[in-house]
Amino acid sequence: MAADDIPSTMKRLVVKEPGKDVASCKIEVETDVPVPEPRSGEVLIKVVAAPINPSDYGEWYRSSPSKYPLAMGKEGCGIIIKSGGGLATYRFSIGAKVGFVGLKGKQGSYSEYVTIAATGCFPMPNDVSIEDCASFFVNPYTAIGIIDTAKNKEGSPAFVHTAAASQLGQMIVKLAPEENVTVINVVRREEQAEILKKLGAEHIVVTGSSTDDADIAKWKEELKAKIEELGATCAFDAVSGRMTGDLLDCVPPKGTVFTYGGLAGLAGNINPVDLIYREKKLKGFFLVELDSRWRDAFHGTPHAQGIEQGECRTGVRWLEQYSV
């Protein structure tokens, strides 16, 4: 796109009013929004695609009133169409395909155009369709963080993962064998189990949707048997609700349940005996708060080397191997 072809206005999605949950948020398309002008060190990107992650929609109804209208979207991909100049922009040419994360100035990736510091851009491989690069950052890094936490911080050869048929879960299923870690996948429905089997998952527990105590006890016994067989000492839970307590019951003494989502609402069903006498632990897992040990260890790995070499292996090279 030539500079003369860049429009003066654009459209973007915003949350006008938060509501009490995602379903009740008031979302609108804003029109006639000025196209931002890149400053020194920034580039202007024509957005091609952007994902929807829990980190996105959780913000839609939980932000402070002063943030509304709230521009939507945290990451995305697109084409650089203009540069503001400056040293940091020299590694990008006009027309370069990039992923981006870390927008500033009340911008969101659900916009036709965004400006961003060149340091927040990652070159995408030419042999990968740019439309497939939207989810290059949050999910891949979370997958790496979960596997690393289980393997290196907890010292566990295996771990339990709930909501395992999600995009993140499918990435974990594909990456874990390379890291010599076994995943015990917990899903709700048989069709979700079939998705994971086609990806090579070997250990799957289907909980079903029954609230009958006998049915719950049955899948928990299956899960406990797999945990004992594979030596798992930790679990990563995106569900919460009753599942939190069920997982604490299933992991061995001194085991850990990490919660990183709340699909079923508040965590509950927790037996104090598990925490007090069996010394089990319940912790939160938040990617950006991984300790410096993990960040330091990450440097020098193939994933980090890819980023340093401009490939962004962590996200986009996965599109050829791990993404869905």
Side-chain angles (χ1 to χ4, degrees):
M1 176 182 288
D4 292 343
D5 296 329
I6 300 174
S8 59
T9 62
M10 66 175 187
K11 299 176 183 177
R12 68 173 185 172
L13 274 173
V14 299
V15 180
K16 297 290 286 187
E17 297 175 9
K20 67 181 187 302
D21 52 30
V22 172
S24 59
C25 288
K26 184 179 180 181
I27 297 173
E28 292 184 1
V29 178
E30 286 188 341
T31 59
D32 297 325
V33 178
V35 172
E37 185 70 20
R39 298 176 295 182
S40 178
E42 296 181 340
V43 293
L44 175 65
I45 298 172
K46 180 176 175 58
V47 179
V48 173
I52 300 176
N53 290 312
S55 58
D56 288 303
Y57 57 73
E59 184 182 46
W60 297 350
Y61 67 97
R62 293 175 181 157
S63 296
S64 61
S66 62
K67 289 191 175 182
Y68 298 96
L70 178 71
M72 301 165 67
K74 293 182 178 297
E75 67 173 320
C77 60
I79 309 293
I80 291 178
I81 59 173
K82 189 175 182 180
S83 172
L87 182 62
T89 67
Y90 288 171
R91 67 190 182 112
F92 294 110
S93 60
I94 302 302
K97 299 192 298 184
V98 296
F100 62 87
V101 66
L103 294 168
K104 304 294 184 183
K106 296 187 177 180
Q107 296 187 97
S109 60
Y110 303 172
S111 305
E112 291 184 297
Y113 300 89
V114 297
T115 54
I116 190 168
T119 53
C121 292
F122 296 82
M124 300 293 104
N126 289 326
D127 56 346
V128 176
S129 170
I130 188 61
E131 289 83 359
D132 291 334
C133 299
S135 188
F136 84 101
F137 189 84
V138 173
N139 277 347
Y141 270 92
T142 302
I144 290 174
I146 285 175
I147 291 172
D148 181 86
T149 298
K151 178 181 178 180
N152 297 318
K153 191 170 182 180
E154 296 297 311
S156 182
F159 65 90
V160 178
H161 186 225
T162 64
S166 65
Q167 286 196 1
L168 170 63
Q170 292 179 53
M171 287 184 180
I172 287 174
V173 166
K174 294 179 180 181
L175 177 64
E178 288 195 6
E179 300 296 327
N180 295 315
V181 178
T182 302
V183 185
I184 304 171
N185 302 277
V186 178
V187 296
R188 193 173 182 181
R189 301 189 301 274
E190 288 291 346
E191 55 265 38
Q192 294 171 322
E194 290 303 316
I195 291 172
L196 296 181
K197 288 177 183 178
K198 291 178 181 178
L199 297 178
E202 297 181 15
H203 303 282
I204 305 171
V205 174
V206 180
T207 67
S209 57
S210 173
T211 58
D212 182 78
D213 288 343
D215 293 332
I216 293 172
K218 184 176 180 180
W219 69 256
K220 284 177 64 176
E221 286 304 312
E222 181 183 359
L223 179 58
K224 287 179 180 180
K226 286 187 176 293
I227 287 173
E228 182 176 0
E229 172 193 353
L230 300 170
T233 63
C234 59
F236 293 81
D237 180 32
V239 178
S240 289
R242 176 181 177 127
M243 180 60 74
T244 303
D246 287 335
L247 290 175
L248 272 172
D249 181 39
C250 291
V251 297
K254 298 187 178 181
T256 304
V257 173
F258 293 90
T259 180
Y260 73 96
L263 295 174
L266 299 178
N269 186 38
I270 296 170
N271 183 354
V273 171
D274 282 328
L275 302 176
I276 299 170
Y277 298 105
R278 297 176 184 132
E279 299 182 71
K280 300 181 185 183
K281 298 175 288 293
L282 175 62
K283 297 182 178 181
F285 177 86
F286 188 33
L287 182 64
V288 300
E289 292 185 357
L290 286 172
D291 61 21
S292 59
R293 178 203 60 79
W294 183 85
R295 292 193 296 271
D296 291 342
F298 182 74
H299 290 292
T301 66
H303 305 296
Q305 290 168 4
I307 292 175
E308 291 158 3
Q309 294 165 8
E311 275 189 347
C312 194
R313 288 178 60 99
T314 302
V316 179
R317 284 301 176 190
W318 281 23
L319 293 167
E320 301 167 325
Q321 304 175 59
Y322 307 124
S323 66
V324 294

